């Protein structure tokens, strides 16, 4: 059962959608359920996790409304301002929505790299835990020590690192990313997504440039805490849906049927309670 742990929908200029911008011509258009069905049907895609792309309550509400009667959306990861005074109430209300499974505060765009580790966010984190919501961490290497501080202090919060923390593939650097990923992987509540790596490589790079990064993620988390995601349609900037799926299967080095089932569906199903 193929489950995509990370994909997006958006309507350009609606629901507070300000990204992608017109210079990103390959993805500057609406992407909706029928578009995902077109690329997923030949691959027997069972469904996926719809992840927010805008730091907006309006976008999150739209995604949840869209997902309500859309069978291929198995779960939704939305956005909320965790620092807002009314964050606990907003999160509690969101947790009542049938398909919401997590929140993503888009840490990569914040001015303070240590923001997520601030104990002042605990009321919001408490509300997430009470609502059985996980944290999707959209981060770079520089955020990982702060994410570990949060994870050590809040073992009750399920965390998944998006896109392998966007390693510096284009620069060909493994450190300090590799050590910091391994340190987070020591914490059992932390999972990771095998997603978004093609767009971190240099334009036109040999796909084998991803190999050491994929190998490290597989070794650090194992297939029971690593989940494949397409990051579609952002993926279209660097590749295509079926090509990334085949490449991920090859580079994972996994051959056991149970391991492949975990990486390409079962881990996402368990983590997000799909």
């Amino acid at each position: 059962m193929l489950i995509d742990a990370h994909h997006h929908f958006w309507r350009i200029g609606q629901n507070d959608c300000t990204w992608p911008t017109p210079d990103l011509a390959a993805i500057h258009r609406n992407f909706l359920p029928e578009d995902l069905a077109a690329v997923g049907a030949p691959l027997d895609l069972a469904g996926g996790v719809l992840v927010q792309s805008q730091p907006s309550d309006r976008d999150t509400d739209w995604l949840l409304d869209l997902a309500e009667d859309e069978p291929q959306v198995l779960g939704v990861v939305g956005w909320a301002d965790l620092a807002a005074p009314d964050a606990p109430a907003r999160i509690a209300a969101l947790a009542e929505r049938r398909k919401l499974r997590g929140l993503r505060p888009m840490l990569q765009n914040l001015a303070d790299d240590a923001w997520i580790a601030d104990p002042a966010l605990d009321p919001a984190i408490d509300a997430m835990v009470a609502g059985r919501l996980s944290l999707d961490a959209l981060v770079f290497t520089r955020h990982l020590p702060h994410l570990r501080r949060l994870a050590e202090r809040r073992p009750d919060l399920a965390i998944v690192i998006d896109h392998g923390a966007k390693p510096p593939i284009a620069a060909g650097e493994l450190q300090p990313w590799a050590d910091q990923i391994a340190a987070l992987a020591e914490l059992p509540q932390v999972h990771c997504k095998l997603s978004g790596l093609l767009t971190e490589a240099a334009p036109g790079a040999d796909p084998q440039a991803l190999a050491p990064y994929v190998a490290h993620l597989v070794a650090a988390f194992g297939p029971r805490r690593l989940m494949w995601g397409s990051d579609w349609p952002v993926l279209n900037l660097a590749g295509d849906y079926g090509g990334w799926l085949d490449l991920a299967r090859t580079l994972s080095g996994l051959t056991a049927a149970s391991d492949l089932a975990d990486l390409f569906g079962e881990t996402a199903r368990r983590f997000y309670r799909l």
Side-chain angles (χ1 to χ4, degrees), residues 70-107:
E70 179 50 61
Q72 68 182 329
V73 177
L74 306 179
V76 175
V77 174
W79 178 90
D81 182 357
L82 304 188
D86 64 346
R90 168 67 174 166
I91 293 167
L94 285 171
E96 294 295 318
R97 298 295 299 264
R98 184 170 66 93
K99 288 191 178 180
L100 190 75
R101 292 296 183 269
L103 295 175
R104 185 169 84 146
M106 302 191 81
L107 304 178

Side-chain angles (χ1 to χ4, degrees), residues 33-56:
E34 56 268 28
D35 300 297
L36 179 62
V39 296
L43 305 170
D44 294 325
L45 178 67
V49 178
L50 173 58
V51 180
Q52 60 79 229
S53 59
Q54 317 296 319
S56 159

Side-chain angles (χ1 to χ4, degrees), residues 193-211:
K193 292 185 183 180
L194 184 61
S195 60
L197 299 186
L198 274 177
T199 47
E200 297 305 310
D206 186 331
Q208 288 300 312
L210 278 60

Side-chain angles (χ1 to χ4, degrees), residues 9-270:
F9 295 143
W10 57 63
R11 289 184 183 271
I12 298 296
Q14 300 183 48
N15 312 304
D16 293 336
C17 179
T18 60
W19 188 94
T21 47
D23 57 301
L24 300 173
I27 59 173
H28 188 255
R29 66 172 180 85
N30 296 344
F31 284 93
L32 296 166
E34 56 268 28
D35 300 297
L36 179 62
V39 296
L43 305 170
D44 294 325
L45 178 67
V49 178
L50 173 58
V51 180
Q52 60 79 229
S53 59
Q54 317 296 319
S56 159
D57 290 329
R58 184 180 299 175
D59 177 68
T60 292
D61 291 339
W62 173 69
L63 294 177
L64 287 166
D65 290 343
L66 182 68
E68 190 65 31
D69 297 317
E70 179 50 61
Q72 68 182 329
V73 177
L74 306 179
V76 175
V77 174
W79 178 90
D81 182 357
L82 304 188
D86 64 346
R90 168 67 174 166
I91 293 167
L94 285 171
E96 294 295 318
R97 298 295 299 264
R98 184 170 66 93
K99 288 191 178 180
L100 190 75
R101 292 296 183 269
L103 295 175
R104 185 169 84 146
M106 302 191 81
L107 304 178
Q108 70 171 18
N109 296 332
L110 301 181
D112 180 5
D113 290 348
W115 182 86
I116 193 59
D118 188 345
L121 299 179
D122 274 354
I125 300 296
D126 290 342
M128 290 178 64
V129 172
R132 300 183 69 194
L133 300 179
S134 57
L135 174 73
D136 262 58
L138 178 62
V139 294
F140 292 109
T141 302
R142 67 179 188 269
H143 298 96
L144 294 179
H146 309 297
L147 187 63
R148 182 179 169 94
R149 283 169 50 207
L150 170 69
E152 289 174 333
R153 189 166 58 80
R154 296 301 304 250
D156 54 343
L157 175 67
I159 297 171
V160 59
I161 302 169
D162 289 350
H163 313 324
K166 295 193 170 184
I169 299 173
E173 299 172 354
L174 276 170
Q175 297 296 350
W177 171 83
D179 285 349
Q180 293 178 3
I181 279 287
L184 269 161
E186 293 173 355
L187 305 176
Q189 85 274 25
V190 179
H191 289 56
C192 190
K193 292 185 183 180
L194 184 61
S195 60
L197 299 186
L198 274 177
T199 47
E200 297 305 310
D206 186 331
Q208 288 300 312
L210 278 60
Y213 303 91
V214 174
H216 185 66
L217 292 172
V218 172
F221 289 96
R224 289 189 62 81
R225 286 194 293 141
L226 189 65
M227 60 189 84
W228 177 83
S230 67
D231 197 26
W232 175 94
V234 182
L235 170 68
N236 294 355
L237 294 172
D240 64 83
Y241 204 98
W244 166 235
L245 177 62
D246 289 343
L247 180 62
R249 282 177 174 147
T250 299
L251 294 183
S252 75
L254 299 174
T255 56
S258 60
D259 289 344
L260 291 167
D262 282 334
L263 178 59
F264 293 98
E266 287 301 299
T267 299
R269 185 185 60 79
R270 288 190 300 266

